[in-house]
Amino acid sequence: VTGSTPYSTIALLSDLGRADESVGVLHAIARDIAAHAAVIDVTHDIAVDDVRAGSLALARATAYLPGEVIVVAAVDCESQRLVAVQVAGGRGVLIGPDNGLLAPGVAVAGGADRAIVLSNTDYHLDSPGAVFAVRDVLMPAAAHLCNGVPLDALGMPIDPAVLLPGTVPIPRHDAESSGLICEVMSVNRRGDVQLNASPDDLAGWVASTVSVETPASERGGRVAHVVKRTGDLRPGAIGIIVDAHGMCALVANRRSAAEEMGVVVGDMVILAPGDDDVPSVVSTPVTFTR
Amino acid sequence: VTGSTPYSTIALLSDLGRADESVGVLHAIARDIAAHAAVIDVTHDIAVDDVRAGSLALARATAYLPGEVIVVAAVDCESQRLVAVQVAGGRGVLIGPDNGLLAPGVAVAGGADRAIVLSNTDYHLDSPGAVFAVRDVLMPAAAHLCNGVPLDALGMPIDPAVLLPGTVPIPRHDAESSGLICEVMSVNRRGDVQLNASPDDLAGWVASTVSVETPASERGGRVAHVVKRTGDLRPGAIGIIVDAHGMCALVANRRSAAEEMGVVVGDMVILAPGDDDVPSVVSTPVTFTR
Amino acid sequence: VTGSTPYSTIALLSDLGRADESVGVLHAIARDIAAHAAVIDVTHDIAVDDVRAGSLALARATAYLPGEVIVVAAVDCESQRLVAVQVAGGRGVLIGPDNGLLAPGVAVAGGADRAIVLSNTDYHLDSPGAVFAVRDVLMPAAAHLCNGVPLDALGMPIDPAVLLPGTVPIPRHDAESSGLICEVMSVNRRGDVQLNASPDDLAGWVASTVSVETPASERGGRVAHVVKRTGDLRPGAIGIIVDAHGMCALVANRRSAAEEMGVVVGDMVILAPGDDDVPSVVSTPVTFTR
């Protein structure tokens, strides 16, 4: 009986940018249909059609969302089936295209309870031309849910198990080199390089450094010092930390590690336990556990 | 008796950008004067002083605004008369400079009921220096209207007929070539090229393609396939669709049509009925009606 | 007894940018902890770690903030002591790092009543990795204050007098040249050049022009016409006005004064009373008082 849940917050994520009126129109639609709902902009600067980047940003944000929330995520919606996925016993609903965008967020929220295809056009807005999915279908659906319209009313139920899974890669161990083959997931405004490796992937590595091989590096790679905080690094050093999202990240102190190492999102990065002859910058070794 | 209308939403559009605190200050002023009003950012990334781009974004957004709304639009305000224009029997008021910025939005809303010049300084904020129109005059006016101050109290009535009209050009038929001479109105983040032509302007064109001449194209121009959705185009093709705003747009599938055709906002584009020998990418011809 | 003050607005300023989900997460946290609070984004586009630019934007915004407001300012927080500073008899609280960022805003608000270090981890969020100060400490503190948690509960009191002062430089008179040695504080989207000089610093200058020497200018400098509004300048001229923030600014009409004079933030600019042989563009001389 989630239909009676008083959803009160809509969290928006898209690749629309803010240069034109599109995002403003989404806010206006929410205000028009469900004036009581608060609308939070997660981000609108996902690169056009970059489903993976959108899914990562959504997954990272999901843990911080309030209860009774509808998430509207819109990246590469055209020609996609549009769905709503209920999570957390009805405390949240994620709405978007069935292209993997929602999957990591759904996983963070504990998995899908149930899902529907947004096929009921009674809850769509008419377009004067081509359908603009987020404006004509996704956002109206979110607003109607906030008004107490039951999820079931929005369309046909589907088995959540058939939803397209996410495309976030997992790191793999390289049998030959005993290294961990990772990928650059994102680079933030500071130039920190977030990898797809969790501290668990590096469990048992006891050296105070990690060797980092990048597409741009010479064989053998660069030394990254294992530190707790970027601020613990000495000038000129590259570090590896468990970042604020709980993932391994390459960092530099008041410099861009991404720029310095010449890596961009999607690059392969190979980590290997360091050679302890390299003097550590911190007195006590840090072990890779949260 | 619009003074008693409980305006509850302020929609903001400007060329202020978000790099400094200006937009935040506008939100703070609204919160200070009329705490119950919700403020929606339509966009603040209109190019500096680009009245036409601002007026287009405003017109496109207007149809989606909620009722009981005040629109504050601020592009090229300096040395301009500042006005408030009531529309839709008092369900909305548009506030901004009398430089044509508001005109297309007013037209979309059904025309002006009445207008005033914001001359009553009792409702202005004092500036420590030069007047900053949107901060000192427009936003305070909007907030006071939300508090129930009658429109008439904000200044002197003027005849809405004397307000400066908008500058959105209309396409014209070229007698010589039987083509339609259009202009590029806007280019969105995907690189779709919105023209100032509506489907009605192309009524009766029955070919499955349209010839498109641009400043960069050879005489004869490029072939655009008439399709309903960008996704119907085959790789490499340029299409022409009725876009989500109900206007004709040149598009490409997962590429920027603007970049590929070398066109920017303001460019002249000449459309002409295509030569049907060109094989269509869709099996059923699309006719240019909404 | 400020603990019972019903804070209802949170104003946010940071260098996080909007490209990822970070700012959205801050809004989500506020909504989760204190759903009734309105969150205003002052700006998030301060350059990374640019404490001075952040402090200036904050100071300029402070005068316009509503009552019962919590300001969260986050620029260069890592390795800094995190503090909350009460101002205006409890009508406002500024929260941020103790690195000078808050100081000019505190001064505009009339000085600090009292201050605490945000040391009580009961009101922090747990991080899955490194602490993300604004997410884990500053924003939760603001939200808890909005819920009526007393300031004292958030940590240990400290003497406000020991807070790091701001780094906004003051102009100085050059004994040799009788000029005023200023610095470029900020450049807005129009290219207006805001100096660290107030009209009082130029009191007694009666010429209708000011000589402006910049790093790029020849000795003797360029002539700036003293005008009230940018619109009063004739084409091609550079002007000096008391800007909307009450400070002296170099401006050009529909051009970027910054670009034309080749100045950027931090540059030294020397002003001197002009030579009145230069014909004024305005008929009545303007004196430098607000």
Side-chain angles (χ1 to χ4, degrees), chain B residues 38-63:
Chain B
V39 182
I40 291 173
D41 295 299
V42 176
T43 181
H44 296 287
D45 289 341
I46 301 298
V48 171
D49 290 345
D50 190 341
V51 172
R52 194 171 88 172
S55 72
L56 278 168
L58 178 57
R60 286 195 299 250
T62 298

Side-chain angles (χ1 to χ4, degrees), chain A residues 268-284:
Chain A
M268 187 174 75
V269 169
I270 305 176
L271 304 180
D275 170 350
D276 247 1
D277 291 350
V278 178
S280 170
V281 289
V282 286
S283 49
T284 52

Side-chain angles (χ1 to χ4, degrees), chain C:
Chain C
V1 276
T2 53
S4 58
T5 308
Y7 295 110
S8 54
T9 306
I10 299 172
L12 263 179
L13 177 146
S14 79
D15 63 353
L16 293 170
R18 302 286 318 229
D20 67 21
E21 77 289 348
S22 301
V23 169
V25 163
L26 301 183
H27 282 251
I29 290 168
R31 182 78 180 159
D32 191 33
I33 299 177
H36 68 286
V39 182
I40 291 173
D41 295 299
V42 176
T43 182
H44 297 287
D45 289 341
I46 301 298
V48 171
D49 290 345
D50 190 342
V51 173
R52 196 171 86 172
S55 72
L56 278 168
L58 178 57
R60 286 194 300 250
T62 298
Y64 291 94
L65 293 176
E68 321 337 322
V69 68
I70 312 288
V71 174
V72 172
V75 178
D76 195 17
C77 294
E78 204 187 357
S79 316
Q80 308 284 349
R81 189 162 67 161
L82 303 174
V83 297
V85 183
Q86 183 192 295
V87 296
R91 292 198 69 218
V93 176
L94 290 85
I95 298 181
D98 180 17
N99 62 0
L101 176 66
L102 306 178
V106 168
V108 168
D113 299 335
R114 56 201 185 104
I116 61 134
V117 173
L118 297 167
S119 52
N120 186 350
T121 54
D122 291 351
Y123 294 106
H124 299 182
L125 291 180
D126 284 334
S127 173
V131 172
F132 186 6
V134 64
R135 180 193 71 182
D136 302 333
V137 182
L138 305 182
M139 196 67 194
H144 286 298
L145 287 173
C146 288
N147 276 351
V149 170
L151 187 65
D152 291 341
L154 298 180
M156 296 292 296
I158 53 168
D159 181 354
V162 304
L163 294 170
L164 203 70
T167 57
V168 179
I170 54 173
R172 58 196 166 84
H173 286 275
D174 184 10
E176 193 189 329
S177 71
S178 82
L180 185 72
I181 302 175
C182 305
E183 194 176 320
V184 176
M185 289 290 96
S186 58
V187 172
N188 69 11
R189 205 182 182 207
R190 292 184 169 277
D192 301 339
V193 179
Q194 191 183 29
L195 303 174
N196 61 336
S198 81
D200 294 344
D201 294 315
L202 278 60
W205 295 19
V206 293
S208 64
T209 61
V210 166
S211 153
V212 183
E213 221 176 299
T214 67
S217 71
E218 305 290 313
R219 185 83 199 163
R222 178 147 182 187
V223 168
H225 297 273
V226 180
V227 288
K228 277 216 160 167
R229 306 186 310 174
T230 303
D232 294 336
L233 286 168
R234 77 177 153 210
I238 291 287
I240 182 165
I241 64 169
V242 181
D243 75 4
H245 309 291
M247 300 296 285
C248 295
L250 301 168
V251 298
N253 200 352
R254 297 183 182 276
R255 287 145 34 234
S256 165
E259 209 172 283
E260 196 162 316
M261 308 186 81
V263 298
V264 296
V265 170
D267 275 357
M268 186 173 76
V269 169
I270 306 177
L271 304 180
D275 170 351
D276 247 359
D277 292 350
V278 178
S280 169
V281 289
V282 286
S283 49
T284 53
V286 176
T287 53
F288 262 112
T289 52
R290 303 188 200 186

Side-chain angles (χ1 to χ4, degrees), chain B residues 61-121:
Chain B
T62 298
Y64 292 94
L65 293 176
E68 322 335 323
V69 68
I70 312 289
V71 174
V72 172
V75 177
D76 195 16
C77 294
E78 204 187 358
S79 316
Q80 308 284 349
R81 187 162 70 162
L82 304 174
V83 297
V85 182
Q86 182 192 296
V87 296
R91 293 198 69 219
V93 176
L94 289 85
I95 297 180
D98 180 18
N99 61 2
L101 176 65
L102 306 178
V106 167
V108 169
D113 300 335
R114 56 200 186 106
I116 60 134
V117 174
L118 297 168
S119 52
N120 186 349
T121 54

Side-chain angles (χ1 to χ4, degrees), chain B residues 172-181 213 219 270-273:
Chain B
R172 59 196 166 84
H173 286 276
D174 184 11
E176 192 191 329
S177 72
S178 82
L180 185 72
I181 303 176
E213 222 176 300
R219 185 83 199 164
I270 305 177
L271 304 181

